[in-house]
Amino acid sequence: MVALRSRRLEGIFGARLDAVSHAQVITLVTNIVTESHDLDFKAELYGRSDRSKRDLAGDVAALANTSGGVLVLGIAEDNQARATAAPEVALDNAEQDRIRQIVSELVHPTPVIDVIPVDNPQRPGHGFLLIAVPRSPMAPHAVKVDKGLRYPSRYGTTTTYLAESQVAAAYRERFAGFQDRFEDLAKLEGQLIDRLDVSDQTFVAVTLVPDMAGDFVLNKKTLNEFEQEVRAKDPHVIQRGITFQNTSVGSRRLIAHGNSNAATATYLACELHQSGAGSFAAFIDHRRTEQMGAPSTPISRIGDEDLVVGVLSGLRFLARHARDRAASGGNAAVRATLWPVTEETPAILVQNRGFRGSLGHQIIKPPVATGTFDLDDLAEDGAPLVAATSALTTGLIQHFGYPETLQTTSDGIIRIRYWHQGYSQRVQKWAEACSVQITQETVS
């Protein structure tokens, strides 16, 4: 999956960038396509001199700093920037790795790029290289030149450099964008929580906002496809026997929850926005009343394994919506919480293994954990998804006064001894299927 999605470029090539054929690249020449702010032609590979490396870094940074775009290596242009020939370039993995390494070393911060080889079926080992660069929420990106930094920008078919005042404005926009995304997380989370039936259920809620917004058509066909995809399905990575029962739409969003009655959301709920943002909530406890003096208080007993499974599942579910349905890309800001947690409905963290009992202390305010992760990492089963889950659940668990999540590690390993019998075999089967490392280690 390529991070850059551009309807204009996909229209020019006649396909998504990760599915472009050799014949479709050739049409750039036959149609005499002209370079533009998001399309740049290079007849040859970038050279190995310091200047050539800086040229590559500058071209990539310029696209990342403006509207994104594609560098096509193997297409020659005339003096009017029109594609005139297709000399092609040699294709090998080492060259692709070299391009990524140069960008990583010379562009700060490192932008997201995809290097896509397009083989000539009649000439093995030759063809075109597409360097796809999405517009970056981390802009401005600087290129290291000698001991200084320069900030390139794409203007029409040429590369210019930002003035000091423009650099300052770009940094302000970057930090404002960060703040906006985290404010969006809280807003979207609140909208979903308002729909939950929390009379006796406590939920773990996960919300995701991609850096690069996407879009999809919301119509009857989309709703029917969504219903077939989720209805009577358990979205948990490790199945819990809880399924979506009701699907509908709201303003620019798809909606589903676990109650056959459309009015209230129980057990499961999600709101999936056309932008690629979304919120997911999963039942985690039926609150019970325990005698703590008079009057008695209903307490949420948050199982640490259930919490891990809920966050793991919410991350994957939302990331797949953002990437595969809305065609969002880049990184994603994520927020997780437990709801409701108040003085009237406090929560404790418990474990159901061995001696069973509580971990840490009781809390009376909703815990919140946030983070930023690569969207593709969250959408695929694997160690990066486990690592992101570990980061978020550890952030939640620390509100209880307990230091870390025991079921997973920060580098994406499963600690199998911290899963009780009801989960352990299914967790191990899933981990083996997606090549996630399992360890028998325990935490002293």
Side-chain angles (χ1 to χ4, degrees):
M1 181 66 67
V2 175
L4 173 64
R5 293 300 308 275
S6 165
R7 290 181 179 176
R8 196 189 92 81
L9 290 173
E10 289 171 4
I12 290 173
F13 284 101
R16 286 174 53 129
L17 296 177
D18 54 357
V20 170
S21 69
H22 181 269
Q24 287 169 319
V25 178
I26 290 292
T27 62
L28 297 174
V29 176
T30 56
N31 293 335
I32 319 176
V33 173
T34 302
E35 285 186 337
S36 60
H37 67 285
D38 59 355
L39 185 62
D40 195 358
F41 304 138
K42 307 291 179 184
E44 301 175 342
L45 296 173
Y46 288 92
R48 297 184 175 274
S49 67
D50 288 345
R51 179 173 180 175
S52 295
K53 293 177 182 178
R54 286 196 299 270
D55 288 343
L56 167 60
D59 289 340
V60 168
L63 291 174
N65 283 340
T66 47
S67 58
V70 176
L71 302 167
V72 184
L73 279 56
I75 293 290
E77 61 185 293
D78 62 15
N79 58 10
Q80 297 182 51
R82 298 176 301 189
T84 57
E88 302 186 350
V89 294
L91 302 180
D92 64 69
N93 292 333
E95 177 61 24
Q96 296 169 49
D97 291 340
R98 187 179 79 94
I99 289 171
R100 296 186 187 96
Q101 183 178 0
I102 291 170
V103 172
S104 178
E105 289 179 353
L106 297 184
V107 185
H108 305 277
T110 303
V112 173
I113 69 167
D114 289 288
V115 184
I116 308 161
V118 182
D119 294 284
N120 183 344
Q122 305 300 321
R123 194 184 177 203
H126 292 79
F128 307 103
L129 274 183
L130 310 185
I131 304 175
V133 186
R135 179 179 180 179
S136 176
M138 295 296 292
H141 293 270
V143 174
K144 186 185 296 183
V145 180
D146 297 326
K147 295 183 179 181
L149 296 174
R150 300 187 71 185
Y151 295 82
S153 179
R154 186 84 174 165
Y155 183 78
T157 62
T158 62
T159 296
T160 61
Y161 292 89
L162 299 178
E164 183 179 4
S165 60
Q166 293 173 308
V167 173
Y171 274 110
R172 286 195 295 270
E173 184 176 345
R174 180 204 287 184
F175 297 131
F178 288 158
Q179 185 63 32
D180 288 346
R181 284 190 289 280
F182 281 97
E183 289 176 357
D184 287 344
L185 287 171
K187 178 182 176 181
L188 298 180
E189 176 190 278
Q191 291 173 352
L192 181 65
I193 283 174
D194 286 345
R195 299 181 52 247
L196 301 177
D197 179 358
V198 295
S199 57
D200 65 347
Q201 294 184 6
T202 301
F203 294 82
V204 56
V206 181
T207 305
L208 179 149
V209 175
D211 284 347
M212 289 174 281
D215 196 11
F216 64 94
V217 176
L218 182 52
N219 55 21
K220 180 65 175 175
K221 180 176 181 289
T222 306
L223 177 60
N224 289 341
E225 292 173 347
F226 176 60
E227 182 172 357
Q228 292 177 10
E229 177 186 333
V230 304
R231 191 154 193 166
K233 305 290 193 342
D234 185 343
H236 289 92
V237 175
I238 312 300
Q239 300 285 284
R240 295 182 61 205
I242 305 171
T243 62
F244 287 114
Q245 297 298 322
N246 190 286
T247 56
S248 61
V249 300
S251 176
R252 295 183 56 80
R253 74 196 73 177
L254 294 164
I255 294 172
H257 61 74
N259 191 346
S260 57
N261 181 350
T264 57
T266 59
Y267 294 105
L268 282 172
C270 71
E271 293 191 355
L272 307 177
H273 297 256
Q274 285 183 259
S275 65
S279 293
F280 171 94
F283 159 81
I284 200 168
D285 184 55
H286 271 303
R287 291 193 300 280
R288 65 196 71 182
T289 298
E290 294 190 3
Q291 197 68 32
M292 298 177 61
S296 57
T297 304
I299 297 178
S300 296
R301 299 176 63 84
I302 309 299
D304 57 350
E305 290 149 302
D306 293 334
L307 179 61
V308 171
V309 172
V311 172
L312 179 76
S313 305
L315 288 175
R316 189 183 73 173
F317 184 84
L318 296 174
R320 289 183 174 181
H321 159 70
R323 187 192 69 175
D324 300 337
R325 182 179 291 111
S328 304
N331 291 332
V334 181
R335 173 182 168 114
T337 191
L338 297 168
W339 187 265
V341 181
T342 67
E343 290 187 7
E344 293 73 30
T345 55
I348 58 174
L349 183 70
V350 300
Q351 61 94 3
N352 297 310
R353 307 168 301 278
F355 68 88
R356 300 173 183 263
S358 61
L359 304 171
H361 54 68
Q362 178 179 294
I363 62 173
I364 59 173
K365 293 182 179 180
V368 173
T370 60
T372 301
F373 308 99
D374 181 271
L375 192 60
D376 280 333
D377 285 347
L378 300 182
E380 297 296 333
D381 291 339
L385 173 60
V386 175
T389 300
S390 181
L392 285 177
T393 52
T394 290
L396 294 177
I397 283 172
Q398 287 174 348
H399 286 267
F400 292 91
Y402 200 78
E404 66 174 307
T405 300
L406 299 175
Q407 290 73 27
T408 59
T409 71
S410 60
D411 51 356
I413 298 172
I414 298 287
R415 294 191 186 110
I416 199 64
R417 291 193 177 186
Y418 290 100
W419 296 88
H420 67 71
Q421 189 174 4
Y423 271 129
S424 60
Q425 290 184 349
R426 288 176 289 154
V427 170
Q428 184 158 343
K429 183 178 180 180
W430 173 79
E432 290 172 350
C434 58
S435 301
V436 170
Q437 184 178 344
I438 298 171
T439 180
Q440 297 288 335
E441 74 172 13
T442 58
V443 178
S444 57

